Structure formats: C-alpha cells, structure tokens
Amino acid sequence: MKYLRSLYYMYEYLFYRTYRWQKRLWGESSAPEMAGLFAPSMLAVMNILYPIWLVTNMILVCFFRVYLVEEVTTLFKIMAIFVCGYFYFSFVSAAKYSKIEKKYIKESVETRKNNNRKIGLYLFFSLLFFVFCMVMTALLGDYARNYLY
C-alpha cells in the first residue's frame, strides 16, 4: 500500500510540474491542466497496462497456443481509457489542479531538486522498461508466427 501511495504522489508531482510548465509557456487560457494530464496518463499506461498486456499475450501464446492480438489490444485500449479517466478525476475535475498547485508551490529549492531527480529517474527507467517490453513483444510475435501457425 505504501508503494502505491508513493507512486500516486509521484504521478501527482509529475502532473504539477507539467501543469506549471504549460501554464508558464502558454498561459491559463490554453488549458494547461489537460496538458498536465497527458504525462501521468501515458506513463501509467506504459508502466502498468503494457506489461499486463505483454504477460497476457505470453500466457495465451505459451499455454493456450493462441495469438489474439486484436482482442487483447481492444481490451487494453478500453482499460487505458479508464486509466486516463482516473487521472482526470484525481487531478483535474472540480478544480483539483489548483489544490495541487497550492500544495507544491511553496516547496523549497532542495525539495524541488529531490523531487525532480525522482521524476527524472522514474522517467528514465520507465522508458527503459517500455523498450524492454517492446522487444519482448516483438520476440513473442515472431515466436507466435513461426511456431503456432
């Protein structure tokens, strides 16, 4: 539970940093809260849903000898929409983004540096993990095409 709570705060801080960056860049009129919503949503899909999709396909291919890419992909697209909705209702709806901004606006320089380091490491390892999952998916597809059909 503690891990999930710290992951939520990391996504919240990533939302805040992206929101503030877009607000300074384009102003309040360009809906920076929606741009801030993009980064945590995409990272959650990359880090949570994509590995589940990969493991599901591996189980189907290795144990049941079927390769249902379209069906599993459609299911996980629907799940991605729910993930984006979760982040919308957690960070944006009912002006929650202003509460998040007030929460982090007075952080010290040292805290900001530490949080930025955490976010940077998280982004780096997320992208590295995503590349690993992409390679595994390609290998799984080759295996399915060569040995199942």
Side-chain angles (χ1 to χ4, degrees):
M1 196 66 170
K2 186 177 179 181
Y3 173 74
L4 291 176
R5 188 175 298 124
S6 65
L7 187 64
Y8 175 79
Y9 287 125
M10 190 172 303
Y11 283 134
E12 183 182 65
Y13 191 75
L14 181 63
F15 170 80
Y16 164 73
R17 295 301 296 169
T18 311
Y19 169 75
R20 290 287 297 167
W21 172 58
Q22 289 295 316
K23 188 175 177 182
R24 280 189 302 242
L25 191 63
W26 301 107
E28 191 71 38
S29 64
S30 69
E33 63 274 5
M34 298 311 271
L37 187 64
F38 181 74
S41 298
M42 291 310 299
L43 277 176
V45 168
M46 281 176 28
N47 290 330
I48 298 168
L49 288 182
Y50 194 75
I52 293 172
W53 180 81
L54 178 64
V55 169
T56 304
N57 276 333
M58 289 175 107
I59 290 170
L60 288 174
V61 167
C62 296
F63 295 120
F64 299 111
R65 302 285 184 206
V66 294
Y67 192 55
L68 304 171
V69 176
E70 290 85 16
E71 292 83 357
V72 175
T73 303
T74 303
L75 175 67
F76 281 97
K77 284 179 184 176
I78 293 169
M79 289 174 70
I81 291 171
F82 282 113
V83 167
C84 293
Y86 170 76
F87 281 116
Y88 174 79
F89 287 111
S90 294
F91 299 148
V92 177
S93 71
K96 290 180 185 171
Y97 57 90
S98 61
K99 294 175 188 170
I100 293 171
E101 185 179 23
K102 288 177 186 173
K103 177 180 175 182
Y104 290 111
I105 197 83
K106 296 180 181 177
E107 66 184 352
S108 67
V109 175
E110 189 63 34
T111 306
R112 182 173 292 140
K113 284 182 183 180
N114 286 336
N115 286 338
N116 285 338
R117 279 189 208 116
K118 289 177 188 176
I119 293 294
L121 284 172
Y122 182 69
L123 287 172
F124 175 75
F125 286 113
S126 295
L127 293 176
L128 193 66
F129 183 65
F130 183 69
V131 168
F132 171 75
C133 287
M134 293 292 287
V135 169
M136 292 301 293
T137 301
L139 293 174
L140 181 67
D142 287 342
Y143 173 79
R145 280 189 291 280
N146 292 334
Y147 298 109
L148 293 183
Y149 301 113

